[in-house]
Amino acid sequence: PVLDRFVEQYLRDMNAPGMTLVLADRDAVQRVAHYGFSDREARRAIGEQDLFQIGSISKSFVALALLQLRDEGRLDLGRPVTDYLPWLRIDSRYAPITVHHLLTHSTGLPGAGDIFQWDPELAHLAAYAPGEHFHYNNAMYDTLGILAWTLDGRELPELLRERILGPLGMHASEPVITLDIRDRFAKNYVPFVSDRPFPRDGRLAEAPFVFATGGAGCVAATAADMGKYVRMIASGGKRDGGRLVSEDGFGLFSSPQIAAEDFGPGAHYGYGIAVDTLDGNRLLRHTGGMVSFMSALMVDIDDGVGGFA
């Protein structure tokens, strides 16, 4: 009840139509809660099957799929990415950019723009030696999605469904955001006018639909399904009946690979997820932002408990 009151006050303060919250530990999904409306005008409450776009939390799904491919001997994280994707044009005077560098946002390449250049003379220009700095990079995570597709042989949505969603029992969730499933989403909102500062209680309008098909942010999930994902992380990569990824693979996923001050003082980045400490325990966390969907995932892997909102 105390948490519910806090959330309800927070929604009022933020003028947010609705929110979902799930808490899980190693044993089970302990609580799934829904607050507010999926359709503000119709006063329709958020339902258990309503999808929310989880944005960049999708990067951890892609990273885990690639770590599975590593477990299968089909991927070497230390090899240059162009060994696997020879069409990827990179202009660099530094050492080769490896898959590890893409996973840790440390390539030195631009973080936005088209992966496939329209002009055959153009290439992605490296600004610094790979591995030197953390620079958040959506474009290279889209590239990682194509890498997974190339190695697996199935397109990214299918391989994410078969490798991650299915084994975890996340059957209500979707690995790609397209118009085919638009009516399953909670309605998302933006300010009614965007040419001036938005007052906290300002008028809202339905947001335009945005396709998301790349590895940087393509997953849409229900709260209950994300509880299953939290439980897997809290369990160190285990799932009912086995493991989602090897113990060694989960160690790579959850290790502080590079300092990532973008995520706060002392924070690091692993593979597709930020690695931090809280009260002496290791914390895995990430946020996701779409046009108006905002998500947060936090899991204490030492005590084996976490949440998603």
Side-chain angles (χ1 to χ4, degrees):
V2 174
L3 180 58
D4 290 340
R5 288 197 297 271
F6 172 81
V7 171
E8 288 159 3
Q9 183 62 53
Y10 179 79
L11 291 180
R12 287 192 293 271
D13 291 344
M14 296 304 294
N15 192 31
M19 176 176 155
T20 62
L21 175 67
V22 59
L23 304 173
D25 57 23
R26 295 182 183 122
D27 297 325
V29 176
Q30 297 294 345
R31 186 166 190 244
V32 182
H34 304 90
Y35 307 89
F37 302 104
S38 61
D39 186 325
R40 192 171 184 167
E41 292 74 31
R43 309 299 282 179
R44 185 173 75 86
I46 294 172
E48 293 181 357
Q49 297 302 308
D50 284 339
L51 291 172
F52 283 71
Q53 299 173 18
I54 68 170
S56 288
I57 298 172
S58 307
K59 291 178 172 67
S60 61
F61 288 63
V62 173
L64 287 166
L66 288 167
L67 287 166
Q68 290 176 345
L69 288 161
R70 174 188 173 273
D71 289 342
E72 296 161 12
R74 299 160 72 179
L75 175 64
D76 181 347
L77 302 177
R79 282 184 66 181
V81 66
T82 51
D83 286 0
Y84 297 108
L85 304 176
W87 49 263
L88 182 63
R89 297 198 299 272
I90 295 174
D91 181 0
S92 174
R93 58 188 178 87
Y94 305 106
I97 294 168
T98 67
V99 178
H100 164 84
H101 295 132
L102 270 70
L103 284 164
T104 56
H105 299 286
S106 61
T107 61
L109 298 175
D114 293 331
I115 300 169
F116 299 98
Q117 301 289 340
W118 61 272
D119 185 336
E121 298 299 318
L122 295 178
H124 300 281
L125 179 62
Y128 49 80
E132 281 192 355
H133 306 288
F134 176 89
H135 177 67
Y136 199 78
N137 197 311
N138 281 319
M140 289 304 105
Y141 257 85
D142 284 339
T143 304
L144 287 171
I146 297 171
L147 174 61
W149 172 4
T150 301
L151 297 175
D152 181 275
R154 295 171 290 188
E155 293 187 37
L156 183 62
E158 183 182 358
L159 75 88
L160 287 180
R161 192 183 300 280
E162 296 300 321
R163 286 183 171 274
I164 309 295
L165 301 182
L168 293 179
M170 298 175 65
H171 301 303
S173 298
E174 295 290 343
V176 65
I177 297 168
T178 68
L179 284 169
D180 292 337
I181 55 172
R182 182 171 186 175
D183 61 354
R184 293 182 57 204
F185 285 106
K187 200 170 178 180
N188 58 330
Y189 294 86
V190 291
F192 185 77
V193 290
S194 58
D195 62 346
R196 65 206 70 182
F198 179 64
R200 184 159 283 185
D201 59 349
R203 183 179 176 186
L204 297 173
E206 186 172 4
F209 188 84
V210 175
F211 291 85
T213 59
C218 59
V219 175
T222 64
D225 275 4
M226 286 305 296
K228 298 172 183 177
Y229 193 68
V230 169
R231 183 186 174 199
M232 178 275 298
I233 295 175
S235 300
K238 295 178 183 177
R239 63 176 179 87
D240 289 340
R243 297 193 64 89
L244 186 73
V245 66
S246 70
E247 188 173 350
D248 183 53
F250 189 84
L252 291 169
F253 173 76
S254 59
S255 292
Q257 303 285 351
I258 188 169
E261 293 288 319
D262 294 27
F263 282 83
H268 289 73
Y269 207 80
Y271 285 164
I273 200 155
V275 183
D276 209 344
T277 57
L278 179 67
D279 297 331
N281 286 4
R282 184 174 298 179
L283 185 74
L284 300 187
R285 61 185 178 90
H286 215 290
T287 55
M290 300 296 279
V291 170
S292 74
F293 289 106
M294 287 149 282
S295 301
L297 171 82
M298 286 192 174
V299 187
D300 180 332
I301 61 173
D302 287 332
D303 282 346
V305 62
F308 168 85

